Amino acid sequence: MTDNPQLSAAGELRHLLTLEGLPRDLIHALLDRAETFTAVADREVKKVPLLRGKSVFNLFFENSTRTRTTFEIAAKRLSADVINLNISTSSTAKGESLLDTIDNLAAMQADMFVVRHAASGAPFLIARHLAATGRDHIHVINAGDGRHAHPTQGLLDVFTIRHYKKDFEKLTVAVVGDILHSRVARSELFALATLGAREIRLIGPKTLLPLEAEKMIPNAPLSVYHDLAKGLVGVDVVMMLRLQNERMQGALLASREEYCKHWGLTPERLKLAKPDAIVLHPGPMNRGVEIDSAVADGPQAVILKQVTFGIAVRMAVMSWLAGGGA
Amino acid sequence: MNTPTLAPVAELIARLAASIRPRLSAHTRLVGIHTGGVWVAEALAKELGLPPPAAIDVSFHRDDHHLGNGLKQGGRASQLENVEGAPLLLVDDVLYTGRTVRAALNEIFDFGRPLRVDLAVLVDRGGRELPICAQFVAATLSLPPTQSLELMRDEEGRLSFCLQEK
């Protein structure tokens, strides 16, 4: 993305808006830093002072429990002051525009905005607005925008994969489910492609995959499968996506039961993957729809480790932005 | 540039060990500061017949993180256990402004409350910006701020000092 405001003229990461276009070295450096933060939770004092005196505003225009909570914990472990705004009950509900809300919060000496918004591009709009008004010392982290990107989720997914599998060049990764509407999938794919995964299989019904899905990411080793059993054969990593309930209403799918029958990850289907394959899911899970409970609670699932690692990854991103990068 | 005023590192370590030995308690534990301090602590542990030293990284407590100088070398977490009530000997290669030692003390206290912390360094180069001094010093130099003094380790594990204009 040429007009991406997340990198400064000197190539420093000022905001984290998307993983698209981030160099491999930078992604690895962020993951390395996250590694150092994983041990902070084991200390007598579970806090480090890197963001002491900084104010982090969690701006969630769309509901979230896991992402908002882990951002809050991450900011608190860095000693920041965290302000959670419940936007649905705030002035936005009274008609205030997004940028007016931002201006008001900036006037409260915000240092960082963590933004979740239903509109794709909202965090970009905020970052550009801050730059245009001479307040680009305030950092913006995209915590999920529409169908576009969820970069910290993408990072924590590749962190989890790196933790268990080390070498991306040897990995075949399956991404299963509603890839068309998933910002998580897009961020995962950019990260996997940049880190050099050997093969990435996009698996899902035709109605939930983009047209020409194999060209979603330029120069990435993508292949498309419309048969879950075929797609899972021999993979090292299975990344499940959440089936969003609203997709049922749009006539993209017949029913939850029908979806489960064809696209649910059952223990039998997981046996087609490598014996040591790991299973990821960004949550929240629909048990019995896209994933069977026996798999979700089984030995190959690393779903709760993703949640724990998510804290360290978000600490890495926040401290990186506040510290002016490396 | 060579360092004519400094003895070889092996000699400095022997000198430092000799000054520490009489003051060693049965429970003293060495704690090296990444990276040079860990090398010195490892060498001291051998000389003094102590177990391998703990290693700490002070990045989390640096005072210049907001200036973009913190956490540049990722990937090293502090390895420190059973700090509570322990007599610690903090080890670094060069003592300069004192800011690293200040950060190291904060890092140590994140793991518990030690009985006491002493400081041993190979070289005190002057230029303190904080009220910090070392109990054990192998050599004292007075270097201008335009010069940097850094401990290096070659592939065979030999240590040497490198003095450079910044």
Side-chain angles (χ1 to χ4, degrees):
Chain A
M1 212 180 252
T2 48
D3 61 341
N4 190 337
Q6 71 183 358
L7 295 173
S8 73
E12 284 178 340
L13 196 65
R14 303 284 307 142
H15 312 286
L16 183 66
L17 306 176
T18 174
L19 299 182
E20 184 178 359
L22 281 197
R24 184 187 292 203
D25 288 351
L26 180 53
I27 293 182
H28 272 303
L30 282 166
L31 301 185
D32 288 345
R33 177 173 298 188
E35 196 79 53
T36 67
F37 284 127
T38 54
V40 170
D42 301 329
R43 296 173 173 219
E44 187 66 29
V45 178
K46 293 173 184 52
K47 258 182 194 286
V48 295
L50 295 170
L51 261 65
R52 194 162 63 100
K54 305 283 184 197
S55 299
V56 175
F57 283 68
N58 268 336
L59 296 176
F60 279 65
F61 295 88
E62 204 183 67
N63 284 334
S64 157
T65 307
R66 193 178 349 258
T67 304
R68 191 190 58 71
T69 309
T70 48
F71 264 113
E72 180 173 350
I73 294 168
K76 286 181 169 170
R77 291 220 174 125
L78 292 168
S79 307
D81 295 309
V82 184
I83 297 93
N84 288 310
L85 283 107
N86 191 347
I87 308 285
S88 59
T89 59
S90 78
S91 43
T92 305
K94 298 174 191 163
E96 186 173 76
S97 83
L98 172 62
L99 295 182
D100 280 333
T101 302
I102 292 300
D103 285 342
N104 277 273
L105 299 174
M108 299 175 200
Q109 279 93 31
D111 294 291
M112 197 175 283
F113 291 129
V114 178
V115 183
R116 155 83 50 107
H117 204 289
S120 301
F124 288 71
L125 180 73
I126 294 170
R128 288 206 186 88
H129 173 68
L130 291 170
T133 51
R135 291 172 296 182
D136 52 5
H137 59 279
I138 304 177
H139 305 283
V140 180
I141 298 176
N142 183 358
D145 63 328
R147 295 183 189 179
H148 174 246
H150 193 348
T152 58
Q153 179 73 42
L155 283 176
L156 78 88
D157 290 339
V158 289
F159 182 90
T160 306
I161 294 171
R162 197 178 79 156
H163 178 84
Y164 288 99
K165 297 291 176 189
K166 317 289 179 224
D167 207 355
F168 285 90
E169 277 87 3
K170 294 179 185 151
L171 296 183
T172 300
V173 181
V175 181
V176 184
D178 182 4
I179 293 166
L180 178 63
H181 301 96
S182 174
R183 57 193 174 209
V184 172
R186 289 176 51 82
S187 287
E188 285 171 348
L189 293 176
F190 278 114
L192 288 169
T194 303
L195 294 175
R198 187 180 60 191
E199 187 186 346
I200 305 168
R201 298 181 185 170
L202 309 176
I203 308 174
K206 283 183 180 138
T207 48
L208 296 181
L209 285 177
L211 285 173
E212 302 197 311
E214 63 281 349
K215 295 181 188 163
M216 272 177 83
I217 314 282
N219 306 316
L222 302 180
S223 50
V224 174
Y225 290 80
H226 297 302
D227 180 325
L228 179 57
K230 280 185 189 158
L232 288 177
V233 173
V235 301
D236 300 281
V237 178
V238 186
M239 305 177 85
M240 299 304 296
L241 296 169
R242 183 171 73 92
L243 184 71
Q244 291 160 312
N245 284 329
E246 52 270 34
R247 302 296 164 233
M248 297 301 161
Q249 293 142 17
L252 290 169
L253 292 169
S255 70
R256 290 162 69 92
E257 291 71 26
E258 187 79 358
Y259 185 88
C260 181
K261 197 173 139 198
H262 293 289
W263 303 102
L265 186 63
T266 58
E268 295 72 35
R269 286 180 174 142
L270 183 56
K271 283 199 187 106
L272 298 166
K274 287 209 183 125
D276 63 347
I278 54 171
V279 177
L280 290 80
H281 192 299
M285 287 188 286
N286 297 300
R287 287 171 182 264
V289 183
E290 74 265 11
I291 189 163
D292 193 287
S293 275
V295 174
D297 304 328
Q300 287 169 270
V302 295
I303 297 165
L304 293 176
K305 290 300 281 186
Q306 285 175 271
V307 178
T308 306
F309 289 152
I311 297 171
V313 166
R314 285 168 178 134
M315 287 172 77
V317 170
M318 287 196 257
S319 70
W320 191 283
L321 298 179
Chain B
M1 196 192 274
N2 55 10
T3 56
T5 49
L6 268 184
V9 171
E11 199 181 312
L12 294 175
I13 285 172
R15 207 185 289 172
L16 194 57
S19 65
I20 293 168
R21 195 172 284 114
R23 307 259 304 273
L24 218 49
S25 87
H27 306 289
T28 300
R29 291 173 47 211
L30 300 186
V31 179
I33 301 176
H34 270 303
T35 307
V38 176
W39 299 335
V40 177
E42 284 168 352
L44 277 178
K46 267 188 204 153
E47 288 270 333
L48 295 168
L50 294 173
I56 58 171
D57 185 305
V58 304
S59 301
F60 291 156
H61 287 283
R62 286 182 64 138
D63 56 15
D64 53 359
H65 181 251
H66 63 292
L67 304 174
N69 295 328
L71 292 182
K72 273 186 182 167
Q73 314 129 313
R76 286 178 317 208
S78 295
Q79 307 288 324
L80 198 56
E81 283 172 350
N82 306 320
V83 166
E84 196 71 26
L88 303 182
L89 179 57
L90 187 61
V91 180
D92 208 357
D93 47 1
V94 179
L95 178 57
Y96 181 24
T97 61
R99 289 175 192 268
T100 300
V101 173
R102 197 281 305 165
L105 290 171
N106 282 115
E107 179 76 6
I108 287 171
F109 279 76
D110 279 356
F111 290 85
R113 180 181 186 270
L115 179 71
R116 58 178 293 131
V117 182
D118 290 313
L119 177 62
V121 298
L122 278 189
V123 178
D124 179 347
R125 61 164 287 181
R128 214 78 77 244
E129 293 167 1
L130 292 175
I132 280 168
C133 70
Q135 282 71 36
F136 306 102
V137 182
T140 307
L141 284 179
S142 184
L143 297 177
T146 53
Q147 291 185 324
S148 82
L149 181 67
E150 208 181 333
L151 190 65
M152 318 288 276
R153 186 163 75 165
D154 68 15
E155 281 147 15
E156 276 89 52
R158 282 183 303 244
L159 301 176
S160 61
F161 272 109
C162 175
L163 180 65
Q164 279 184 321
E165 294 298 322
K166 276 185 192 164

